[in-house]
Amino acid sequence: MFGGPFYFGLIRKYVILMGTLLNNIRITRTDSTGNTTALLKVPITYGPKDKMLARVLQDPALDKQSAVGPLPMISFEMGKIKYDASRKLHTTGRIAIRSDVAGETSKFKYQYNPVPYNIQFKVFVYAKNAEDGTKIIEQILPFFTPDWTTTVQLIPEMGINMDIPVVLESVNIEDSYEGDFDKRRALIWTLDFTLKGYLYGPIKKSGIIKFANTNFYIPPNVE
């Protein structure tokens, strides 16, 4: 019904975009006199909160290559994908460029307008103490007012680059601990984001119109 297979890896690009936005966060550790004793890069990985937290709490001293690193750390996961009618483009509109394939210089390739979808992401910041958590959060929140827009190369073969807004919807904090209240294990900050992306249909080809034969005439009884 829909024709042959096509794939542009757009959802994968949106996931990479979310990870890239948060992959360069560093925090400092200081001594009692205020001197910096360490500079830590906060690791980020893709995964749901329950699994990531369970891995850390069950055996935080794991030293295997596949183990989750010690706190603080960041994880994120993709949630719902919902159609956004407020950004709908004309259905029959299209983008066209001349074909760059050898032997097809008399043809052009085109795509119809993309379909707007909102993709929800949850970002989780894990920290052993409040100070580490706030150091991370304060490096994220100032850039979202409430959105951060970046240009993404969506369809290289069509030369399509789009500005993709990432909107910060809400921020929540919770304590996660086992046992008594003095045995707190982790503080978890949850940041809800909405990425306003687009999904494209297949690339099609058609011949270039080089000549048009049109007859003009004046209807009778027209002054």
Side-chain angles (χ1 to χ4, degrees):
M1 175 180 174
F2 296 113
F6 64 94
Y7 177 65
F8 305 112
L10 296 179
I11 295 177
R12 181 176 182 271
K13 291 179 180 180
Y14 295 142
V15 173
I16 293 174
L17 171 60
M18 282 302 306
T20 303
L21 289 179
L22 307 171
N23 71 347
N24 197 31
I25 295 178
R26 292 175 169 84
I27 63 173
T28 58
R29 292 282 172 77
T30 58
D31 57 21
S32 59
T33 61
N35 295 321
T36 300
T37 58
L39 177 64
L40 304 177
K41 183 175 182 178
V42 182
I44 181 171
T45 186
Y46 185 90
K49 180 183 71 172
D50 293 341
K51 290 186 178 180
M52 300 304 299
L53 189 60
R55 189 67 180 272
V56 172
L57 295 182
Q58 287 175 3
D59 194 351
L62 283 174
D63 57 1
K64 298 179 182 178
Q65 185 176 1
S66 61
V68 176
L71 302 181
M73 64 175 296
I74 299 173
S75 73
F76 70 102
E77 64 175 331
M78 184 176 67
K80 295 181 180 179
I81 301 178
K82 185 178 181 181
Y83 176 75
D84 186 357
S86 65
R87 295 186 290 125
K88 183 181 184 300
L89 301 175
H90 198 283
T91 305
T92 59
R94 60 185 183 179
I95 302 168
I97 63 173
R98 183 184 291 271
S99 176
D100 54 0
V101 178
E104 294 186 355
T105 56
S106 62
K107 294 184 178 181
F108 69 93
K109 51 187 179 181
Y110 64 92
Q111 279 183 302
Y112 286 102
N113 281 336
V115 182
Y117 277 92
N118 293 338
I119 305 176
Q120 296 179 0
F121 285 91
K122 284 186 177 292
V123 174
F124 306 102
V125 177
Y126 312 88
K128 287 184 179 180
N129 54 71
E131 186 70 10
D132 283 351
T134 54
K135 285 179 180 179
I136 296 171
I137 293 299
E138 288 187 17
Q139 293 182 59
I140 299 175
L141 300 190
F143 294 97
F144 294 89
T145 58
D147 65 282
W148 169 270
T149 302
T150 185
T151 302
V152 181
Q153 189 179 51
L154 297 180
I155 315 289
E157 53 267 47
M158 292 293 292
I160 297 177
N161 300 324
M162 294 287 288
D163 291 335
I164 304 298
V166 180
V167 183
L168 176 60
E169 303 287 355
S170 63
V171 181
N172 296 291
I173 183 174
E174 63 176 296
D175 289 350
S176 178
Y177 58 85
E178 292 180 355
D180 300 331
F181 285 99
D182 60 350
K183 295 182 180 180
R184 177 181 296 168
R185 295 295 186 90
L187 286 169
I188 307 171
W189 294 78
T190 303
L191 291 76
D192 293 304
F193 291 92
T194 298
L195 185 148
K196 295 182 176 294
Y198 293 91
L199 297 179
Y200 286 79
I203 297 175
K204 299 183 179 181
K205 293 182 180 180
S206 180
I208 298 176
I209 299 175
K210 297 181 178 180
F211 177 79
N213 188 0
T214 304
N215 294 321
F216 291 92
Y217 71 96
I218 299 176
N221 302 323
V222 175
E223 298 182 357

